[in-house]
Amino acid sequence: MNQTALITGATSGIGKATAEIFAKNNIRLILCGRRLERLLELQEKLSTQTEVAILQFDVSKREEVEKAINSLSEKFNHIDILINNAGNAHGLSTLQEGNIDDWDKMMDINVKGLLYVSKAIIPQMTKRNNGFIVNIGSIAGKEVYPNGNVYCASKHAVNALNKAMRIDLNKHNIRVSGIHPGAVETEFSDVRFKGDTKKAKSVYTGYKALQAEDIADIIYFVISRPYHVNIEDLVVYPTAQASATILNRD
Ligand code: NDP
Ligand code: 8X3
């Protein structure tokens, strides 16, 4: 085992599936999220395959981020791969009807959270002139769709920050990749619709949505290329989806 990855949002969906495929491939793991029980459960499960540390923190709380990352033991404090995955949509409505608390959450978690975590980890990568950052964006960062406004803005920011990292970290030999999925069947829509499971389920009915494992496979492919190969940007749709609003349902 010679690589360590820190994954934000490892308690569910894409982050959890990424932890699973990384564990299978013997990558040492630092699993992050707010839900401690889930972190402990996953740690126990994956510890049969690799070494696993957990960090419970809210990415949008700057001090929590710094404290958590500074608390890593020596064994886990050499992070080769950072997967900036934590994030969600909160609400789906026009701007004029939008909920400002939802806007704050999306900008604080999806944008500022990604920055706080990156800022805490990048210095060790620049010092070593080595490292890999994978930013999970979205098709919402490539186009704007009705009622998506602030979530789309947050993911456009992730897309911009991904490009900015490529530029700023270039002289430090650090690889940076953005992965931008379309519809993935996770807890994403439960969060967006605040626990309205019927509404959430309807997002994924009538076609085969991407599964978290599909994106995790791609993340593993991206990080396992030879070091001189950097896949900058990938947009990944389910076959049935042509854009955020064009879905070929049964
Ligand atoms: P899930 O809701 O299943 O997972 C979201 C993860 O983010 C959870 O592990 C959650 O952990 C973590 N998270 C959310 N808020 C915070 C916070 N404040 N602090 C720390 N962790 C947080 O959704 P997905 O797996 O689908 O989403 C993962 C990423 O993929 C997100 O960035 C999302 O925007 C993006 N994406 C998703 C798509 C989809 O259709 N599902 C499509 C395109 C992009 P916890 O609650 O334990 O803190
Ligand atoms: C999640 C996909 O289309 O709901 O980022 O924005 S979408």
Side-chain angles (χ1 to χ4, degrees):
M1 185 182 323
N2 55 12
Q3 280 192 305
T4 301
L6 183 145
I7 304 173
T8 66
T11 56
S12 169
I14 294 169
K16 184 174 179 211
T18 303
E20 282 169 351
I21 193 169
F22 279 16
K24 235 185 255 164
N25 287 283
N26 215 22
I27 296 172
R28 191 183 290 110
L29 290 171
I30 304 160
L31 308 176
C32 308
R34 291 166 303 179
R35 287 171 286 182
L36 182 60
E37 254 177 51
R38 287 193 184 201
L39 288 173
L40 288 165
E41 215 175 278
L42 194 59
Q43 181 183 38
E44 191 182 340
K45 183 178 167 198
L46 301 184
S47 289
T48 56
Q49 296 171 293
T50 188
E51 290 174 317
V52 185
I54 57 170
L55 291 179
Q56 183 197 21
F57 63 93
D58 182 331
V59 294
S60 69
K61 305 226 163 87
R62 193 169 150 188
E63 282 101 53
E64 273 187 35
V65 173
E66 285 162 9
K67 201 167 152 202
I69 290 167
N70 287 337
S71 76
L72 284 168
S73 67
E74 209 178 315
K75 189 196 276 183
F76 288 93
N77 201 18
H78 178 124
I79 297 163
D80 304 284
I81 304 161
L82 163 61
I83 310 291
N84 273 324
N85 164 74
N88 275 118
H90 294 269
L92 182 71
S93 66
T94 59
L95 263 185
Q96 56 275 25
E97 283 161 354
N99 176 320
I100 296 177
D101 290 334
D102 285 344
W103 297 354
D104 282 343
K105 279 188 201 141
M106 290 185 277
M107 298 312 283
D108 287 351
I109 298 168
N110 303 353
V111 185
K112 288 159 76 180
L114 179 145
L115 283 169
Y116 296 155
V117 174
S118 302
K119 179 77 172 155
I121 292 169
I122 284 171
Q124 54 165 283
M125 293 183 171
T126 52
K127 202 164 154 193
R128 295 195 298 262
N129 280 322
N130 188 286
F132 205 146
I133 302 174
V134 178
N135 295 307
I136 306 302
S138 166
I139 55 164
K142 299 288 185 180
E143 61 175 301
V144 177
Y145 53 84
N147 301 316
N149 43 67
V150 178
Y151 179 64
C152 294
S154 76
K155 289 298 184 176
H156 273 67
V158 172
N159 191 36
L161 291 170
N162 184 64
K163 290 179 188 177
M165 286 182 192
R166 284 276 304 135
I167 295 164
D168 293 348
L169 299 173
N170 173 262
K171 62 174 174 292
H172 289 289
N173 195 37
I174 294 171
R175 297 195 281 177
V176 180
S177 297
I179 298 178
H180 306 275
V184 191
E185 195 170 358
T186 62
E187 292 172 18
F188 176 85
S189 291
D190 290 309
V191 175
R192 167 169 258 174
F193 297 117
K194 304 174 198 295
D196 183 337
T197 45
K198 211 170 146 206
K199 230 173 173 178
K201 235 180 162 185
S202 73
V203 173
Y204 308 111
T205 52
Y207 69 103
K208 176 75 179 168
L210 291 167
Q211 303 300 298
E213 293 72 22
D214 297 322
I215 301 301
D217 277 353
I218 290 166
I219 294 171
Y220 181 67
F221 175 80
V222 166
I223 64 111
S224 58
R225 294 311 83 213
Y227 202 87
H228 68 284
V229 179
N230 190 122
I231 296 171
E232 177 175 344
D233 216 35
L234 281 177
V235 178
V236 188
Y237 282 108
T239 304
Q241 188 175 28
S243 77
T245 51
I246 302 174
L247 261 165
N248 182 19
R249 295 186 197 253
D250 298 338

